[in-house]
Amino acid sequence: MELTKEQVQFIENRLENDGIKYWDIRIEMLDHVVTDVQNRIEKGELFKSAVQNSFVSLGWKENFNGSSFEAILQEKQNLFAKKYRKSFWAYFKTCVFKPSSIIWIFSIIAILYFIYPYKVIFKYTLFTFLGIVTILFFYFFTKYKVYKSVQLNNALIQTFLSLNLINIYLNVPKMFEVDLLKFHFLTTLVFSFVFIQSYIGIRFFLKEYTKINNTYQKLISL
């Protein structure tokens, strides 16, 4: 028995109300639940009872906030996180090892290496970069509604991964009273990697956004 549009919408609304805030996870679960509910109705269950039983079979549980799919949501988020780590680094290697990329990569390393002795210029360059990246992070997060898609959420995390590297590089050595900024070549390499990773990360995010948004637009037009 095929469900009506109203019944399908009812299931989707319940999924969202029960904590499945990411549309891509919700659509994946919706497809499973609709098929399961159809089978249950054919076996004699009433629609709402079939929906409830299908939810329970997926891991739906009541809690002090009402109810949720906490376990399955965490599982899906972990799967997407793993997928996007692999996807990003595969894309990163493809970009870096292109013959056309070698020149601009060495140019970044050379520029940072030669301006490093000029501490004020180096620091202003670094702070300007950090400021731009921070602005871009919040811009992407709001403009592209990252909070609504677990895929975009993970793509954004990979895009701005270098911000964590900067934080670790500048702060952790202080625990051991070591100033890594004194290490000219090492510092140049670290910040060159950060610049390159951020640039490639932004390209990766925009590529993923185009793909994911096309999927989303097809779904909402159905």
Side-chain angles (χ1 to χ4, degrees), residues 17-20 55 59-63 65-73:
N17 292 336
D18 284 344
I20 309 300
F55 275 29
W60 177 92
K61 290 181 180 179
E62 291 187 282
N63 54 41
N65 287 323
S67 55
S68 72
F69 288 94
E70 186 176 348
I72 194 170
L73 183 60

Side-chain angles (χ1 to χ4, degrees), residues 71-122:
I72 194 170
L73 183 60
Q74 187 61 54
E75 178 187 345
K76 296 286 186 184
Q77 287 177 300
N78 290 341
L79 286 172
F80 276 112
K82 184 177 180 181
K83 170 190 171 184
Y84 273 88
R85 279 195 298 272
K86 288 184 177 179
S87 296
F88 173 75
W89 290 113
Y91 181 77
F92 181 84
K93 285 188 284 187
T94 299
C95 292
V96 166
F97 292 112
K98 281 182 180 177
S100 57
S101 300
I102 302 299
I103 295 175
W104 69 266
I105 288 173
F106 277 102
S107 296
I108 291 173
I109 295 172
I111 290 169
L112 290 178
Y113 184 84
F114 285 115
I115 70 170
Y116 185 83
Y118 305 96
K119 300 298 184 184
V120 174
I121 296 175
F122 186 82

Side-chain angles (χ1 to χ4, degrees), residues 193-211:
F193 173 79
V194 167
F195 276 58
I196 294 163
Q197 191 272 336
S198 297
Y199 171 71
I200 294 175
I202 289 169
R203 288 177 55 185
F204 174 76
F205 177 84
L206 294 175
K207 176 180 74 72
E208 290 302 306
Y209 171 76
T210 300
K211 181 174 67 177

